[in-house]
Amino acid sequence: MATTDETNVSAEAPMGSTPPKKKKRSFPSAFTVLFIVLIFAAALTWIVPAGSYDRLTYNDETDQFNIENIKGDVKELPANQATLDKLEISVPLNNFKNGSMRKPIAVPNTYQKIEQRPQGFVALMKASVSGTADSVGIVIFILIMGGLIGVVNATGAFDAGVAVLSRVTKGREFLLVTIISSLIALGGTTFGMAEETIAFYPILVPIFLAAGYDVLVPIAAIYMGSSIGTMFSTTNPFSVVTASNAAGISFTDGINWRIMSLVIGQIISLLYIYWYARKVKKDPKNSLVYEEMPAIKEKFLKDYNPKEAPAFTWQRITILILFASAFPIMIWGVSSQEWWFEELSTLFLTVSILCMIVSGLGEKKAVGAFVGGAADLASVALIVGVARGINMIMDDGMISDTLLYYASGAIAGMNGVIFSTVQMVLFSFLGIFIPSSSGLATLSMPIIAPLADAVHLGRDIVVSAYNYGQGWMSFITPTGLILATLEMVDVGYDKWLKWVLPLMGIIGVLCVIMLALQVVF
């Protein structure tokens, strides 16, 4: 029997004509996805009991420990090993006194339920604003980065550079993927390169598009390089070092296993990218974003013509040198000088001003290019703020500690191999709600690491499971960087899921195998 709508369409359509095609449903935008997750997080605050662990910090001015409970009451205790033993905290005393443990850590066996703190409509609407304000550092960095790219684009320097790179790498395009992805993975495993990679997309995407790949290839080269590197961290101070300190062990414990996992994981990732890139090169219709590619090429290769590429004038060469020099300086600052977004924004603003001076564009056109470039990345900056708002809803609802409390109770006393696998799954789950690697480490390790003792396992296995689990979930978690990344290159979240989920499954199996081997050997 025909529905009313179908009957009306048939009645209105002229005889012999083709009925109008139904409008194809599109996947929600990044903002809509995040808002759905935000609503879900707020709903959890009505369902999951609120609760909290006490927090311990070290006061170097008074040389005492401060323990603060949920009411805000602070108790001072002597900063000695006897206090830590009494509190069942396995972190060595020296880790507090030498500054290794800077963040408050959860005190085991102090969890208590508190009055429910459900987050209603007002809190839900305010979260995105508060999240953006709380993320002002990275928001400014993204806008300034966009401004710099706008200036460089206006000079034609990028078009000239892309033309040269296309000629140099012709026939060896995938070598560029391998080098870039591996270098970023090296940055991820050593000092946690993640947010900094946002700067690479506007530079590298045109190069890969000009080489005949689709936009998913440069996304994979950059994002998966960073994700694999941070997932299998070796000396990353924001994850493995912090987690090891909080677990009471050296970060070198289990490092050989993480190095092996890093090498194997990166090889698997590159082979997967190569398999997909080769398919796209052979037939562009094999691209998962085939329908979106004309619009993407219009955005990134609007003025690019390999036969009529801009000449390499001294101004364009100087601008590209200035632009390129910012990245090794950025890596040096982050890895050895404790730079963060304030310093990085200052660096790129300085480079922007120097490029304006050299460009010869004139003051109005140069400033207009900077403002226009910043405007192009405004949506990316806002996505970062909305994602942070989700975490703030969870924090205000006081349910993160509750999730940790129930999870830790569920894994106590398991078989070693099962224990390591469930640990990884646990940290993957917690990583959705606590995307900060150092935040998750300082909160969870004092609670979960001692559970390894009960099943006669080394605590380095818990650290590895934490690393693998949180990194694995970062491939897709909306509260991480992936939605901001996709927004930069106009790719839908559904397309990314379709591309990455098979690889995610393979890497997940690798992690389980490596954890099992670490348990056995």
Side-chain angles (χ1 to χ4, degrees):
M1 182 176 177
T3 63
T4 304
D5 289 342
E6 289 171 339
T7 304
N8 290 339
V9 168
S10 299
E12 293 172 2
M15 289 292 291
S17 65
T18 304
K21 291 182 180 180
K22 291 184 178 180
K23 189 176 180 180
K24 187 178 179 181
R25 292 182 181 179
S26 60
F27 194 81
S29 68
F31 283 102
T32 303
V33 170
L34 280 175
F35 199 72
I36 292 170
V37 176
L38 184 63
I39 294 172
F40 176 71
L44 285 179
T45 65
W46 292 78
I47 301 169
V48 178
S52 177
Y53 287 95
D54 292 349
R55 297 291 198 274
L56 178 139
T57 54
Y58 171 67
N59 188 329
D60 57 356
E61 294 181 0
T62 61
D63 192 30
Q64 287 186 313
F65 286 130
N66 294 336
I67 297 182
E68 183 176 2
N69 63 22
I70 187 60
K71 297 178 181 178
D73 301 328
V74 178
K75 180 167 59 175
E76 294 185 341
L77 294 173
N80 54 39
Q81 192 60 48
T83 299
L84 294 176
D85 293 340
K86 183 178 179 181
L87 295 173
E88 298 184 29
I89 295 175
S90 56
V91 181
L93 178 64
N94 190 52
N95 284 6
F96 291 98
K97 297 202 171 186
N98 66 14
S100 298
M101 296 303 302
R102 299 177 183 178
K103 292 189 176 185
I105 68 168
V107 179
N109 304 315
T110 60
Y111 174 82
Q112 56 180 325
K113 288 185 179 179
I114 59 174
E115 185 178 348
Q116 201 74 13
R117 297 188 181 182
Q119 302 297 294
F121 178 77
V122 174
L124 180 70
M125 300 308 296
K126 187 180 176 183
S128 298
V129 178
S130 301
T132 303
D134 194 62
S135 307
V136 66
I138 187 171
V139 167
I140 292 173
F141 170 71
I142 290 170
L143 294 178
I144 290 178
M145 188 67 226
L148 170 58
I149 290 164
V151 172
V152 179
N153 266 329
T155 67
F158 273 151
D159 290 336
V162 168
V164 171
L165 273 173
S166 296
R167 288 196 296 268
V168 171
T169 59
K170 191 170 182 64
R172 303 186 301 276
E173 292 89 354
F174 198 79
L175 180 61
L176 192 60
V177 175
T178 304
I179 293 171
I180 289 170
S181 186
S182 298
L183 286 175
I184 292 175
L186 184 63
T189 192
T190 53
F191 65 89
M193 176 181 274
E195 290 90 348
E196 299 88 344
T197 59
I198 287 174
F200 294 123
Y201 291 97
I203 315 160
L204 296 175
V205 167
I207 295 171
F208 286 103
L209 295 182
Y213 295 123
D214 74 0
V215 73
L216 285 173
V217 174
I219 295 174
I222 300 168
Y223 191 81
M224 290 309 302
S226 171
S227 297
I228 292 291
T230 52
M231 178 180 187
F232 300 115
S233 291
T234 50
T235 62
N236 180 0
F238 303 108
S239 61
V240 69
V241 174
T242 299
S244 297
N245 286 337
I249 61 175
S250 168
F251 76 90
T252 58
D253 293 347
I255 193 171
N256 291 336
W257 290 103
R258 291 192 291 274
I259 290 173
M260 283 190 286
S261 300
L262 170 67
V263 173
I264 298 171
Q266 180 64 4
I267 291 172
I268 290 172
S269 179
L270 286 172
L271 288 174
Y272 186 82
I273 298 171
Y274 178 74
W275 166 76
Y276 175 78
R278 191 177 179 185
K279 279 204 316 176
V280 172
K281 287 274 281 187
K282 187 177 181 180
D283 183 357
K285 290 184 179 179
N286 288 326
S287 169
L288 294 176
V289 289
Y290 177 72
E291 294 179 359
E292 293 87 350
M293 282 304 296
I296 292 172
K297 285 184 177 180
E298 172 68 18
K299 176 178 178 178
F300 288 99
L301 297 176
K302 183 177 181 181
D303 301 316
Y304 174 70
N305 185 336
K307 296 180 181 179
E308 300 177 7
F312 245 152
T313 62
W314 71 268
Q315 289 170 312
R316 290 184 179 124
I317 293 172
T318 304
I319 286 169
L320 287 177
I321 291 172
L322 285 169
F323 185 81
S325 66
F327 293 92
I329 294 173
M330 176 184 75
I331 292 170
W332 168 76
V334 172
S335 60
S336 64
Q337 303 301 307
E338 298 186 354
W339 284 11
W340 204 227
F341 290 114
E342 184 176 345
E343 291 81 7
L344 297 182
S345 297
T346 303
L347 168 65
F348 283 102
L349 179 60
T350 302
V351 174
S352 299
I353 294 171
L354 292 174
C355 288
M356 288 181 190
I357 294 171
V358 174
S359 69
L361 292 173
E363 182 268 336
K364 285 188 177 179
K365 191 171 182 182
V367 172
F370 182 89
V371 173
D376 288 341
L377 294 191
S379 60
V380 179
L382 289 174
I383 281 176
V384 171
V386 177
R388 175 63 186 133
I390 295 170
N391 307 131
M392 296 182 79
I393 280 282
M394 302 282 292
D395 292 341
D396 293 343
M398 300 297 293
I399 63 174
S400 297
D401 283 18
T402 301
L403 295 174
L404 174 62
Y405 173 73
Y406 287 125
S408 61
I411 60 176
M414 287 183 173
N415 164 273
V417 173
I418 297 175
F419 176 84
S420 65
T421 302
V422 174
Q423 284 265 347
M424 178 187 151
V425 175
L426 164 64
F427 283 115
S428 297
F429 172 74
L430 292 175
I432 300 173
F433 303 104
I434 313 171
S436 165
S437 54
S438 57
L440 179 58
T442 52
L443 172 64
S444 63
M445 282 299 154
I447 309 300
I448 295 181
L451 298 178
D453 303 339
V455 292
H456 309 292
L457 293 178
R459 295 186 180 187
D460 57 292
I461 292 169
V462 179
V463 173
S464 293
Y466 146 81
N467 237 340
Y468 300 171
Q470 191 188 44
W472 187 65
M473 187 53 66
S474 73
F475 291 6
I476 61 171
T477 181
T479 53
L481 279 177
I482 186 57
L483 289 184
T485 296
L486 297 175
E487 182 69 16
M488 290 192 75
V489 291
D490 295 339
V491 171
Y493 186 48
D494 58 325
K495 303 293 185 181
W496 174 252
L497 291 178
K498 190 177 291 187
W499 186 90
V500 81
L501 284 177
L503 176 59
M504 190 176 179
I506 297 168
I507 297 293
V509 171
L510 168 67
C511 292
V512 170
I513 292 172
M514 296 306 290
L515 283 172
L517 291 173
Q518 193 171 346
V519 168
V520 173
F521 296 102

